[in-house]
Amino acid sequence: MRVLIAEDHHILARTIATGLRREAMAVDLAGSGDVAERMCLLNAYDIIVLDRDLPVLSGDEVCLRLRALKDPPRILMLTAAGSVEDRVSGLDLGADDYLAKPFDFAELLARIRALSRRVPTPPLMILRHGGIELDRGRREVRIDGRPVELSPKEFAVLQLLMEARGEAVTHRALLDRVWDEHMDSRTSAVRATVSRLRGKLGRSDAISMDDGKGYRLC
């Protein structure tokens, strides 16, 4: 899942980003409304955590502009104003959910996960390929019934490969969905993560690399 945090309180934004990255999400940050809008036009985000009180361009205006897009991200609006009237006005603007500050990170995480499930066809919670079983909800992986510990990046890469159902996933697609915008496309991060993943899956040929196409789960 790729998430944009649009929040001008830098410490709060970095704290949220750190927590979401530990949950295998790719996270970008925007400190103002105009930057948030521009980033949403450049990148395909699943969810934007949007503060209403942003500089330059308010969160309300960003929300209205994003709703005009053909395929907008789901919007979780944050605000220090938590009255019923404030929540109603935020939802009426087009937000998918609304959370008042201060909030508990566990609740924010739960709401983000709930928003990620709001798609026309609900995703399978458990993916299987050969002897590999990946549980999205519990964030667990088993190989032939044996639990395997994966890092957040390894889990996210494996999930994308399993979702592809044998089709190749490009290097660029893995960078876009698992890493943030600051990751250089020439980096060896994807290759290194795939290499470690092969080792944990117990087979050097578990993931093949098709020249010019990408990575494929065998």
Side-chain angles (χ1 to χ4, degrees):
M1 191 190 312
R2 190 167 186 183
V3 180
L4 175 64
I5 308 296
E7 169 63 63
D8 63 334
H9 190 293
H10 302 305
I11 295 177
L12 176 59
R14 288 195 297 269
T15 299
I16 295 172
T18 298
L20 296 183
R21 286 166 182 155
R22 288 173 178 165
E23 298 295 324
M25 299 182 197
V27 184
D28 294 330
L29 302 177
S32 63
D34 59 324
V35 172
E37 181 190 22
R38 184 166 65 248
M39 292 176 70
C40 286
L41 294 175
L42 292 173
N43 304 302
Y45 292 106
D46 299 293
I47 292 172
I48 174 172
V49 179
L50 179 64
D51 181 29
R52 290 190 79 169
D53 189 23
L54 289 173
V56 184
L57 193 66
S58 73
D60 288 1
E61 184 62 29
V62 173
C63 185
L64 288 170
R65 295 187 184 190
L66 292 183
R67 280 297 169 226
L69 298 178
K70 181 179 180 180
D71 188 20
R74 289 174 288 283
I75 299 171
L76 172 55
M77 190 171 278
L78 299 179
T79 182
S83 68
V84 173
E85 291 78 10
D86 291 314
R87 292 197 297 272
V88 170
S89 67
L91 294 171
D92 283 345
L93 286 168
D96 297 283
D97 200 358
Y98 193 100
L99 186 60
K101 299 177 182 178
F103 55 83
D104 187 88
F105 177 77
E107 181 179 4
L108 173 67
L109 178 60
R111 288 173 180 263
I112 288 175
R113 286 177 172 165
L115 286 177
S116 74
R117 295 192 291 269
R118 294 185 188 178
V119 293
T121 302
L124 293 173
M125 292 307 294
I126 298 180
L127 302 175
R128 295 182 176 88
H129 181 93
I132 305 171
E133 182 179 283
L134 183 147
D135 189 324
R136 299 174 194 252
R138 297 177 181 272
R139 308 204 66 79
E140 295 175 349
V141 173
R142 293 178 179 273
I143 300 176
D144 297 326
R146 174 178 56 87
V148 176
E149 291 292 332
L150 300 183
S151 72
K153 295 297 187 203
E154 292 162 356
F155 185 95
V157 168
L158 179 60
Q159 179 175 318
L160 285 177
L161 293 176
M162 294 184 74
E163 288 172 347
R165 299 182 179 277
E167 296 296 319
V169 181
T170 66
H171 181 274
R172 182 72 259 177
L174 288 172
L175 277 178
D176 286 345
R177 304 306 297 172
V178 179
W179 282 267
D180 61 35
E181 65 167 354
H182 300 295
M183 184 62 69
D184 191 323
S185 61
R186 296 168 295 181
T187 182
S188 62
V190 172
R191 189 177 299 108
T193 301
V194 169
S195 178
R196 291 194 302 271
L197 192 51
R198 286 188 181 116
K200 292 184 178 182
L201 295 178
R203 288 172 33 218
S204 60
D205 62 346
I207 302 171
S208 67
M209 183 175 182
D210 297 338
D211 290 339
K213 293 184 178 179
Y215 297 92
R216 186 194 312 273
L217 194 61
C218 300

